[in-house]
Amino acid sequence: MPETDLVTLDVADDTGVATLTVDRPDRLNALNVDVLEGLREGVAEAEAADARTLVLAGAGDDAFVAGADISYMKDLSTPEAQAYAELGHDVARDLETFPAPVVAAVDGYAFGGGSELALACDLRVASESAVIGQTEIDLGIVPGWGGTQRLPRLVSDEVARRMVFLGERLPAEEAESVGLVGEVVADEAFDEHVAELAARLAAQPQFALGAAKEALNLAHEEPLHAGLATERRLWSGLFGTHDQREGMAAFLEDREPEFE
Ligand code: COA
């Protein structure tokens, strides 16, 4: 468990799903330094526990994460802001490179750094009442934890610019229509739906999922030819693993596979 009580980690032994929760509801789960450090510890612990899927969530009914902590940021100097930016980037990168799928369970507000953490996850599920925005412009700053880079890779460049320039706050349905979230779920069904999705991901063949994630991440990071070469290497590397042999055998024998 992370040292701070502002972040909790729960690993379900039966499914291998780990849930990392920002637990600061009185501040709408705003991310101060303790929370960010707790998230880093939590992600590392989930990895050490061999979690097969990680869910990132916010406590309480109102917010996923309402952003970086404005009270903390208000009087930062440039070097202090740099250190804070680096910490936020580190958390986002930890999520992005986590060796199994990471699902952002966006229930309520996801603004600024909250939206940026969701962007660093593999998948985003929103509740009907979620609202997502890169709202930093309203504070006289810009996204500083990866939003300027990850947002236009996910939605169109036009939508990203509108969101960042205008601080637009997109209700869940609109976020889905621009591709910012994968699906919108009724508030009352949200927790169960996220748990089902996470369990489905956790039941997938893990070496293959890890390879898929690594290759898909590179699609955004490398020139096409380098990404394609990596994809070939990762793809061929899966041959001979238990899950590859079993998955193909099961198909040919017309039965359900039993993955490791
Ligand atoms: N940093 C620090 N504190 C925050 C916060 C943040 N990002 N977001 C909310 N809080 C605090 C509020 O100051 C308030 O504290 P208080 O009870 O001591 O007054 C508490 O959380 C509850 O928020 P409140 O604004 O009263 O709730 P609301 O329902 O009226 O509004 C929001 C919710 C999300 C619209 C509003 O809190 C907001 O705009 N927050 C800032 C979002 C933002 O700009 N994030 C980007 C930061 S980079």
Side-chain angles (χ1 to χ4, degrees), residues 24-28 30-31 62 66-73 109 111-113 116 133 135-136 138-139 141 169:
R24 202 188 176 203
D26 58 322
R27 286 284 173 280
L28 301 184
L31 303 164
D62 299 322
D69 190 319
I70 301 168
S71 322
Y72 173 74
M73 280 190 295
Y109 302 115
F111 292 149
E116 286 172 301
T135 55
E136 292 89 344
D138 295 345
L139 301 169
I141 57 171
R169 297 167 182 222

Side-chain angles (χ1 to χ4, degrees), residues 28 49 51 54 71 75 81 89 96 126 143 167 187 220-221 240:
L28 301 184
L54 179 62
S71 322
D75 294 319
H89 271 261
E96 194 164 57
D187 290 347
H220 299 298
E221 290 191 1

Side-chain angles (χ1 to χ4, degrees), residues 15 24-25 43 64 70 85 100 102 121 131 137 171 175 177 180 214 245:
T15 57
R24 202 188 176 203
V43 173
F64 170 68
I70 301 168
V102 183
C121 296
V131 188
I137 201 90
S177 74
L180 184 50
E214 197 180 331
R245 294 288 194 248

